[in-house]
Amino acid sequence: MPITYYIFLAVALFSIGVAGVLTRRNAIIIFMCVELMLNAVNLLLVAFSKMHAQNAIAIDPAAVAGVEAQLFVFFIMVVAAAEVSVGLAIIVMMYRNIHSVDVNFLNRLKH
């Protein structure tokens, strides 16, 4: 598959995530859109890693390339999982205290 298909899919996923973050008020939906954006970046990293590995193997068949980006994707997924666990804990505590997950309601808590 050409790399352009991966790029178009990642751009579409990232755009949907950005639109969701900017337009939604529900905290859970916002976290899901952030995860969608992270997955779009991961898709691009793996696609470019595969393209780089194919080019390196074409030049030197004994070369091992493309592993670094895939390891980086693994660490991004670990950080995203930690972010989700902390974010969901905050959302649960917010719901217990104010019985809403509307992020605009948090602005009222400042006063």
Side-chain angles (χ1 to χ4, degrees):
M1 250 170 61
I3 193 79
T4 55
Y5 294 156
Y6 293 112
I7 293 172
F8 288 139
L9 179 62
V11 166
L13 288 174
F14 196 84
S15 300
I16 291 169
V18 168
V21 167
L22 294 177
T23 60
R24 299 295 178 172
R25 296 172 191 239
N26 190 342
I28 296 172
I29 302 290
I30 291 173
F31 274 115
M32 287 174 50
C33 291
V34 168
E35 290 298 318
L36 192 62
M37 291 188 298
L38 286 173
N39 285 331
V41 172
N42 286 341
L43 177 66
L44 275 181
L45 278 171
V46 171
F48 284 126
S49 170
K50 179 184 170 194
M51 183 184 71
H52 176 68
Q54 287 176 349
N55 291 339
I57 290 173
I59 294 171
D60 182 17
V64 178
V67 178
E68 296 87 9
Q70 293 175 5
L71 286 174
F72 194 61
V73 166
F74 176 73
F75 287 120
I76 289 173
M77 292 174 82
V78 169
V79 169
E83 175 237 339
V84 165
S85 64
V86 170
L88 285 177
I90 291 170
I91 290 171
V92 166
M93 291 306 295
M94 183 176 77
Y95 184 76
R96 283 184 184 173
N97 290 336
I98 59 176
H99 301 291
S100 174
V101 289
D102 186 11
V103 292
N104 287 335
F105 190 74
L106 292 176
N107 288 332
R108 295 182 207 156
L109 296 177
K110 291 180 186 178
H111 303 286

